[in-house]
Amino acid sequence: MAVFHLSSTKYIMPQNHHLLDNIAIVLVNPKYPENIGSAARAAWNMGITRIIVVANEYPNHERMIKLATHNAAHLIDAMEFHENLGDALQPFSRIIGTTARKGKHRGPGNSPRDIMKIILPLLPKNQIAFLFGAEDRGLTNEDLKYCHFRSAIPTSGFSSLNLAQAVAIHCYEIFHAVIHEQKEISPKPRLATSYEVENMFKYVESSLNQIDFLREKSHDYYMLNIRQFFGRMELQSKETKLIQSICRQLQSPQHNDKK
Amino acid sequence: MAVFHLSSTKYIMPQNHHLLDNIAIVLVNPKYPENIGSAARAAWNMGITRIIVVANEYPNHERMIKLATHNAAHLIDAMEFHENLGDALQPFSRIIGTTARKGKHRGPGNSPRDIMKIILPLLPKNQIAFLFGAEDRGLTNEDLKYCHFRSAIPTSGFSSLNLAQAVAIHCYEIFHAVIHEQKEISPKPRLATSYEVENMFKYVESSLNQIDFLREKSHDYYMLNIRQFFGRMELQSKETKLIQSICRQLQSPQHNDKK
């Protein structure tokens, strides 16, 4: 017996390959530098080059390189490092948190394939970050506050995936979507970045404090709801600035004097 | 910002989950026992339990278990071990060889997602093996003789995937297909197993030798073509026995006397 080819599909470099430059893999507090290397290799297999690590200390270079292999070593050399997740995410307009299927009050999440349908129209004009948490605990609720969507790889009973394998499956789905489905998509406009939106939230929060809307007890709960509400709106840059201006006006001494 | 769920898809145990029992992951001459453990964990994530290792020596148990983790240790304990690939493949009716995209005279192969379309109708009544070669060299041409199809994970320029990640991506595609697409498929009948087909080939080969069809020089070339021809036919068990009977008759002293 031997091999039959179903079709002559060739995976030559597609025209929209450059779209993969708008994707970043963000590893939040990874425990083992080997997993960063292994994740970088998987990303490079799929034409994704941007690796960001958020941690307290810069991970051991040698241990990362070992599993990145010679072929993906340049991704480790170019790796971005941040101590703070908010800083790391500033350039991104859409942020996807990857989670295990199970979790308290977290709901089932979307499958990576569902997520690609959302991401593809945004990809030409927006930078998109995929967040992966630590090997043992995953992303914290604090990390997930930045996320617009959650992606959960469908699994059978045992839902805890190896970190680098979870990265590999996501990168594989991204690459597959970009080379096979991108051409059928009408692109969406550039959305506000995390930096712009987080700035706006600071104004919104201080304004709501000033008018005593946010009482101490329910502060976090209301702010989370407000974040959700604005997150769903796919705000553009100029819209965050408009909201910011209204808040500034509300807080101006002039306005407060009139009270 | 926070999380929106596109749909209420829940990955509860589907009715056709038992079909995953008809899948085996076959690792041919893996160099690092850690990769066997890591592959077993990935298989167990996706409800696949049957791991077969073909090698000269039984791999180090402790090194396998370490990466299988406690959760998938039972797959390592139940792992089948063979020294010979032909023996390992005897129960299987369809065999898929996984290869990197590039390779001399090997063609592009089908993507894992294409392969699932072929596999799904066969899954209810046939045992299917997915073969993965060694980390550095992949499957040999000799290994590929047993394979009906080749699956090549689409990659960007750098096509060499980590072994356990290649297993993870295939298991993910298998699980996804079984839970989402199996119900729309009309099942195909049970095909002859590798054991039955290889037995038949022995008779075919000796018969063709006897009539001097297979000359020494082109023997392998013709046998490969004959294997391809029969492989494409999706032979059933009784059909291999019919061909075998014809060959036996041809080789009987009675028939030879009449010559």
Side-chain angles (χ1 to χ4, degrees):
Chain A
M1 280 168 283
V3 168
F4 321 125
H5 296 301
L6 280 186
S7 67
S8 62
T9 318
K10 283 177 198 162
Y11 299 102
I12 44 170
M13 197 77 92
Q15 281 199 309
N16 42 30
H17 194 270
H18 66 279
L19 293 174
L20 297 167
D21 296 342
N22 287 343
I23 298 278
I25 301 300
V26 182
L27 305 174
V28 186
N29 292 315
K31 281 175 78 178
Y32 304 107
E34 288 81 1
N35 281 337
I36 304 173
S38 195
R41 177 179 172 176
W44 184 229
N45 282 138
M46 302 300 164
I48 293 165
T49 55
R50 197 167 171 192
I51 306 289
I52 301 176
V53 169
V54 179
N56 295 327
E57 288 185 10
Y58 196 90
N60 182 287
H61 189 260
E62 204 179 323
R63 289 172 63 188
M64 290 193 287
I65 289 288
K66 195 179 162 196
L67 271 99
T69 77
H70 170 73
N71 288 288
H74 61 292
L75 269 69
I76 298 297
D77 294 336
M79 182 180 103
E80 284 175 51
F81 175 77
H82 292 272
E83 293 187 2
N84 178 283
L85 181 59
D87 293 347
L89 294 177
Q90 283 186 0
F92 298 95
S93 298
R94 275 298 178 264
I95 298 158
I96 294 100
T98 62
T99 60
R101 193 168 49 91
K102 291 170 184 170
K104 286 176 194 156
H105 317 302
R106 286 198 180 177
N110 304 303
S111 80
R113 216 164 287 179
D114 292 335
I115 290 292
M116 297 315 144
K117 289 176 196 144
I118 308 167
I119 291 315
L120 278 182
L122 292 164
L123 203 49
K125 295 192 177 170
N126 293 278
Q127 293 193 48
I128 317 272
F130 282 79
L131 261 56
F132 297 82
E135 290 85 345
D136 47 356
R137 318 178 312 156
L139 294 170
T140 64
N141 284 333
E142 187 58 32
D143 301 334
L144 287 168
K145 273 193 191 164
Y146 291 99
C147 297
H148 301 86
F149 299 100
R150 276 175 216 177
S151 174
I153 294 172
T155 56
S156 183
F158 172 45
S159 65
S160 162
L161 276 101
N162 168 282
L163 172 57
Q165 288 174 8
V167 173
I169 288 172
H170 276 91
C171 291
Y172 162 75
E173 283 286 2
I174 294 165
F175 183 72
H176 210 290
V178 165
I179 61 167
H180 287 302
E181 289 156 40
Q182 182 65 40
K183 54 182 177 268
E184 297 149 25
I185 301 288
S186 27
K188 286 190 179 183
R190 189 180 93 75
L191 306 183
T193 64
S194 178
Y195 175 77
E196 291 166 328
V197 175
E198 292 297 327
N199 253 343
M200 179 197 80
F201 280 137
K202 278 181 206 152
Y203 280 96
V204 171
E205 187 171 0
S206 62
S207 300
L208 294 176
N209 263 328
Q210 187 170 324
I211 62 168
D212 291 329
F213 178 80
L214 293 171
R215 294 177 201 185
E216 207 175 310
K217 258 190 170 174
S218 51
H219 183 121
D220 287 352
Y221 175 78
Y222 279 107
M223 271 311 294
L224 189 62
N225 276 275
I226 287 160
R227 291 176 74 93
Q228 286 182 352
F229 163 73
F230 279 117
R232 208 163 45 226
M233 286 177 69
E234 301 202 335
L235 288 174
Q236 294 185 34
S237 180
K238 62 183 175 190
E239 293 165 336
T240 62
K241 289 191 180 66
L242 174 67
I243 293 163
Q244 217 163 295
S245 301
I246 295 169
C247 291
R248 243 195 325 255
Q249 180 64 23
L250 185 79
Q251 291 178 55
S252 70
Q254 206 183 346
H255 171 84
N256 287 329
D257 287 348
K258 285 184 189 162
K259 255 203 313 200
Chain B
M1 283 166 280
V3 170
F4 322 127
H5 296 302
L6 280 186
S7 67
S8 62
T9 318
K10 283 178 198 162
Y11 300 103
I12 45 171
M13 198 77 91
Q15 279 197 310
N16 42 29
H17 194 270
H18 66 280
L19 293 175
L20 296 168
D21 295 343
N22 287 343
I23 299 278
I25 301 300
V26 182
L27 305 175
V28 186
N29 292 316
K31 282 176 76 176
Y32 305 107
E34 288 82 0
N35 281 336
I36 304 173
S38 195
R41 176 179 172 175
W44 182 232
N45 282 139
M46 301 302 163
I48 293 165
T49 56
R50 197 166 172 193
I51 307 289
I52 301 177
V53 169
V54 179
N56 295 328
E57 290 186 7
Y58 196 91
N60 182 288
H61 190 261
E62 205 179 322
R63 289 172 63 188
M64 290 192 287
I65 288 288
K66 195 180 162 196
L67 270 99
T69 77
H70 169 73
N71 289 287
H74 62 293
L75 270 69
I76 297 297
D77 295 336
M79 183 181 101
E80 283 175 51
F81 176 75
H82 293 271
E83 292 186 2
N84 178 284
L85 181 58
D87 293 347
L89 294 177
Q90 284 187 359
F92 298 95
S93 298
R94 274 298 176 266
I95 299 159
I96 293 99
T98 62
T99 61
R101 192 167 49 91
K102 292 170 186 172
K104 284 176 197 156
H105 317 301
R106 287 197 178 177
N110 304 302
S111 79
R113 215 165 288 177
D114 292 335
I115 290 292
M116 298 313 144
K117 287 176 198 146
I118 309 167
I119 292 314
L120 278 182
L122 292 165
L123 204 48
K125 296 193 177 170
N126 293 279
Q127 292 193 48
I128 317 273
F130 282 79
L131 261 58
F132 297 83
E135 290 85 342
D136 46 356
R137 318 179 312 158
L139 295 171
T140 65
N141 285 333
E142 188 57 35
D143 301 335
L144 287 168
K145 275 194 189 162
Y146 292 99
C147 297
H148 301 86
F149 299 100
R150 277 176 215 175
S151 174
I153 294 172
T155 57
S156 183
F158 171 46
S159 65
S160 161
L161 276 101
N162 167 283
L163 172 57
Q165 288 175 9
V167 172
I169 288 173
H170 276 91
C171 291
Y172 162 75
E173 283 286 359
I174 294 164
F175 184 71
H176 211 287
V178 165
I179 62 168
H180 286 301
E181 288 154 39
Q182 183 64 40
K183 54 181 177 272
E184 296 148 26
I185 302 286
S186 29
K188 286 190 179 182
R190 188 180 93 77
L191 305 184
T193 64
S194 178
Y195 175 77
E196 291 165 328
V197 175
E198 292 297 328
N199 255 343
M200 179 196 79
F201 279 137
K202 278 182 206 153
Y203 280 95
V204 171
E205 187 171 359
S206 60
S207 301
L208 293 177
N209 263 328
Q210 188 168 321
I211 62 167
D212 290 329
F213 179 79
L214 292 172
R215 296 180 197 180
E216 207 175 305
K217 257 192 171 175
S218 51
H219 184 121
D220 287 354
Y221 175 78
Y222 278 108
M223 272 312 292
L224 189 63
N225 276 276
I226 287 160
R227 291 176 74 95
Q228 286 182 353
F229 162 74
F230 279 118
R232 209 164 43 224
M233 286 177 69
E234 301 203 338
L235 287 173
Q236 294 185 35
S237 180
K238 62 181 178 194
E239 293 164 339
T240 63
K241 289 193 181 64
L242 173 67
I243 292 164
Q244 219 164 294
S245 301
I246 295 169
C247 292
R248 244 196 323 256
Q249 182 62 24
L250 185 79
Q251 292 179 53
S252 71
Q254 205 183 347
H255 169 83
N256 288 330
D257 287 349
K258 284 184 193 162
K259 260 208 300 199

